[in-house]
Amino acid sequence: MNKGKDSLSSEAITRLHGVAIVVGDKSVSHRALILSAIAEGSTTINGLLHSADVHATLNALRDLGVKINILENGDVEVIGVGMHGLCQPKSQLDLGNAGTGVRLLMGLVGSQQISATFTGDESLSSRPMRRITEPLSQMGIQVSDDGRGLLPVTITGRSSPLPLSYNSPVASAQIKSAILLAGLNARGKTTVTEPAKSRDHTERMLAHFGVVVNTTTNTDGTYSAGVDGGAILQSNDIIVPRDPSSAAFLIVAALITQNSKITLPTIGMSPERIGLITTLQEMGGNIEVLNRREVGGEEVADITVSSSNLNGIDVPANRAPSMIDEYPILCVAAACASGSTLMQNIGELRHKEADRIATMAKGLMLAGVSVDETETSMCVHGTRAANNTHPIKGGFSISSEHDHRIAMSFLTLGCVSSDKIIVHGVSTIETSFPGFVNMMNSLGAKISSI
Ligand code: S3P
C-alpha cells in the first residue's frame, strides 16, 4: 500500500523556540455553533476552530436548515432558528470523525419534530452511541441503531421530550451535553448527575445565552447540572479560547527537547481541561501560567514552557476527567522522564477515536519504552538517564488508527528519537489542529512528508 501521501516523518532536533498561536478550542467551537443555531437572532463567533470535525458539525447544522456564513476574517455568523426551527434534513448527516459533533447533535435533534440519520467514518462508526441514545430514549425520543449500538443511528425527535433525571455512569461532557440539549425543550426539569465534573462548556455557554443552569457539586463528589424545559436562548457573540488540548503537544515538545523555550498566548484554562498542566508541573516541568484573565466567559492565560528534566509520578486517578484527551501526549512526556508514570482510571481511553491505551503502548514499545497496561490503566517506564539523555529509539512506523492525538503524539516523540519516527494516517490531524505541522516546524521541529 502506498501510504506516502498520508504519512509524515519526525526527526530529532536541537531546540524549539518562539511564539505559537494555537487554534481555537474544539469543544467550545462545536457548542458555539450548536447553541447559536437554536438561539433567537444572529451570533458572531470569533476564533472558531476551522477544522474537519467542527466543519462536520457546521455542515450538519446547515443540512438542518441553519444559515451559517463564514466571513473573510474567519469569524462565523450563525442566524439562529429558535428553539423549534430546525428542518428535516434531505439526506443523512455525516459527522466524519467528530464524536462531540454526532453526540451533541443527537441530543439537539431529539427535541425537534424531525428525524435524522447520523453516520460517520470508520473510527466514529466503531464508537459506542448507546451512552447517548439510551437516556434519549428514556425521554421518549425514538432511536434506532445498527443493532450493536453503533452508527448509523436514526433519531426521531419530539418537540417536547419527557424530562429526565439521569445518573451517568461516566464523567462525560458529551453525555451530559446531549441530555441537556434535549432537555431544553422538555416539559419539566432535566438533570444529569455525573460521577465527577466533566468539562462544563455547555453549562457556561447556555448561561451566556441567558439560560438558567443549576449546577451543584454534591457532598459525595458527584456533580449535577440541570435545565428547565421551555428555555429560550438569546443570541450573544462568542469568543472562542485557544485549545489547551492542542497546546498540549507543543508544551510537551518543548519540555522534552533540550534548549527549548516557547510561549503560547491566550490558552483556555478551564479547570476541567488543564489537568495535564498540573501533572507536568508535578513531574518537574517548567511551565509558567501568566496573565490569567477572562475572555468570553472562559478563563485564559499565556503559557511559557522551557526544557525540563521530568520525573515520573502517579497521576491522581480523580484527575482523569480534566485531562482525558491528554493521556497520549502525557505518555510521550512519561517516556522521556526518569522513573515510571502510573495513569489510572483511564478506561474511557479505549473508547476514543482509537483505543488510545493499546495504540500508545504499541508505539512506545516500538520506541524501546516499556509499558504495562490493564483494562483501565497504564504505566510508562521512563527512559531518562542520569546524564539527562533519553534513549528513545526511532526507525519505526506507526499508524494513527484515525486518531489525531495519536498522530501528533508520535510526531512529537520524533523530536527526541535517535532515528526518524514515521506516522501513517496523518490527515486525521485536520480534525482538530490544522496547521500543526507548520507550527511545529516554525518553532524548530523537523516534520516532513515521506
Ligand atoms: C468532549 C468530551 C470528551 C473528550 C472529547 C470532547 C466534548 O469526551 O474526550 O474529545 O467536547 O464534550 P467524553 O465526553 O466522552 O469524555
Side-chain angles (χ1 to χ4, degrees), residues 25-28 30-31 53 99-101 103-104 127 131 170-177 194 198-199 201-202 245 273 321 324-325 348-349 351-353 356 404-405:
D25 190 287
K26 183 154 77 74
S27 291
V28 176
H30 283 295
R31 288 160 173 81
D53 268 17
T100 304
R103 290 180 170 138
L104 269 57
R127 297 180 66 186
R131 52 179 54 202
V170 272
S172 158
Q174 293 177 350
I175 297 175
K176 174 174 63 179
S177 304
E194 46 182 359
S198 64
R199 63 192 70 191
H201 303 302
T202 301
S245 299
R273 296 288 301 282
I324 195 67
D325 289 338
E348 273 294 294
L349 296 196
H351 307 295
K352 296 295 177 188
E353 286 81 332
R356 287 181 173 162
H404 49 136
R405 301 199 198 281

Side-chain angles (χ1 to χ4, degrees), residues 20-24 242-244 246-247 250 264-265 267 433 439:
I21 307 297
V22 172
V23 290
R242 301 186 186 285
D243 200 323
S246 296
L250 304 171
L264 310 171
I267 303 297
F433 199 165
M439 192 171 286

Side-chain angles (χ1 to χ4, degrees), residues 28 44-48 208 237-241 295-298:
V28 176
T44 301
I45 307 168
N46 174 258
L48 187 97
H208 177 77
D237 293 348
I238 295 170
I239 301 175
V240 178
V295 171
E298 294 276 355

